[in-house]
């Protein structure tokens, strides 16, 4: 079964469960209470008329900041963050904020898209954590694929693979019920799937009232 969950919906659902969201993120040293809602702070920094306010973003970074771009990789420190952002956002490259998850004084974020006033291009999410000094200590950015396979591609792949015999794999995975987001991901991809589980096993970890 193919389960398709829009990135921004998944992001906002997870933000309602802060513990789960933190378990997805990397460990962040010194993340404690500050003064302002983190979601609004980072939205202001990234929502400049000529693109993200890179200088101000880097001034807001703690010495130990970690910036994790799921498309380009992870960098450490304000200088590396500045280099990454200037590559991603040449002057005039706008990032449009769609929805802000204000979060609290520690964590928050927003969904975004690239483009202009009339078109929507690449879309994604940004999540951030701040420390007691109101500094950014962790940022994670993720984006949807810009191009997605259409119906013709799906038909072509089905036709090309319809005569391929599937390997019969006897399941050898150990049943488990992890309770954190990171634990579920690790169990599915490191234990269940490699040892013969079908994709339906993921449904065991969905709430009956989930909205897709």
């Amino acid at each position: 079964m193919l389960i398709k969950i829009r990135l921004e919906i998944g992001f906002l659902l997870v933000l309602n469960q802060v513990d789960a969201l933190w378990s997805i993120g990397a460990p962040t040293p010194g993340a404690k209470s500050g003064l302002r809602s983190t979601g609004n702070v980072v939205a202001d920094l990234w929502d400049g008329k000529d693109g993200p306010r890179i200088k101000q973003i880097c001034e807001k970074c703690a010495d130990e900041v970690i910036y994790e771009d799921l498309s380009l990789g992870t960098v450490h420190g304000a200088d590396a963050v500045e280099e990454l952002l200037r590559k991603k956002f040449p002057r005039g490259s706008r990032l449009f904020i769609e929805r802000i998850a204000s979060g609290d004084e520690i964590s928050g974020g927003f969904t975004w898209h690239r483009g202009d006033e009339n078109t929507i291009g690449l879309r994604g999410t940004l999540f951030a954590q701040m420390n007691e000094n109101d500094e950014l200590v962790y940022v994670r950015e993720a984006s949807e694929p810009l191009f997605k396979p259409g119906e013709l591609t799906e038909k072509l792949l089905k036709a090309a693979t319809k005569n391929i015999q599937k390997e019969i794999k006897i399941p050898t995975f150990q049943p488990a019920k992890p309770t954190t987001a990171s634990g579920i991901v690790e169990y599915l991809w490191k234990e269940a799937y490699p040892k013969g589980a079908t994709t339906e096993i993921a449904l065991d970890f969905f709430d009956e009232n989930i909205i897709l």
Side-chain angles (χ1 to χ4, degrees):
M1 175 183 291
L2 178 63
I3 302 173
K4 298 175 67 177
I5 305 176
R6 292 193 64 82
L7 187 59
E8 72 269 26
I9 295 176
F11 178 77
L12 293 171
L13 286 172
V14 173
L15 277 180
N16 289 327
Q17 304 176 34
V18 175
D19 290 339
L21 184 58
W22 282 12
S23 68
I24 293 174
T28 54
K32 296 182 180 179
S33 178
L35 298 174
R36 287 189 59 197
S37 164
T38 301
N40 290 304
V41 170
V42 294
D44 289 343
L45 290 171
W46 264 261
D47 192 23
K49 65 177 182 179
D50 293 318
R53 299 178 174 92
I54 297 176
K55 181 179 179 181
Q56 289 89 331
I57 291 171
C58 296
E59 290 174 348
K60 196 75 170 172
C61 288
D63 292 339
E64 70 274 17
V65 65
I66 300 170
Y67 197 113
E68 185 177 10
D69 186 309
L70 298 187
S71 298
L72 299 177
T74 302
V75 298
H76 301 257
D79 291 342
V81 170
E82 180 175 5
E83 182 179 356
L84 174 66
L85 292 178
R86 293 201 183 282
K87 287 180 180 178
K88 286 168 58 73
F89 300 103
R91 186 171 179 79
S93 301
R94 288 293 308 273
L95 187 77
F96 292 86
I97 309 298
E98 294 184 346
R99 299 179 186 177
I100 298 174
S102 55
D104 52 28
E105 297 89 354
I106 296 174
S107 62
F110 54 84
T111 61
W112 54 262
H113 72 263
R114 302 284 289 266
D116 55 35
E117 300 290 349
N118 301 311
T119 60
I120 295 178
L122 188 68
R123 305 181 72 181
T125 63
L126 184 142
F127 165 73
Q129 283 185 311
M130 302 180 76
N131 63 15
E132 70 277 7
N133 297 319
D134 204 29
E135 297 172 322
L136 289 167
V137 291
Y138 178 68
V139 180
R140 169 174 282 197
E141 188 178 345
S143 59
E144 292 181 332
L146 187 57
F147 300 102
K148 302 178 180 66
E151 184 178 349
L152 291 177
T153 303
E154 180 183 357
K155 291 180 178 179
L156 175 62
L157 291 174
K158 285 182 177 179
T161 60
K162 68 177 181 179
N163 294 321
I164 297 178
Q165 292 185 346
K166 293 184 179 180
E167 178 185 0
I168 299 176
K169 200 169 188 177
I170 299 175
T172 59
F173 66 93
Q174 295 295 321
K177 290 289 184 181
T179 58
T180 64
S182 58
I184 292 171
V185 171
E186 184 174 1
Y187 170 70
L188 289 176
W189 292 98
K190 291 186 177 181
E191 170 65 22
Y193 293 153
K195 296 182 180 180
T198 63
T199 54
E200 280 79 3
I201 193 174
L203 298 177
D204 294 342
F205 301 101
F206 281 69
D207 187 89
E208 292 183 0
N209 298 317
I210 188 172
I211 300 174
L212 301 180

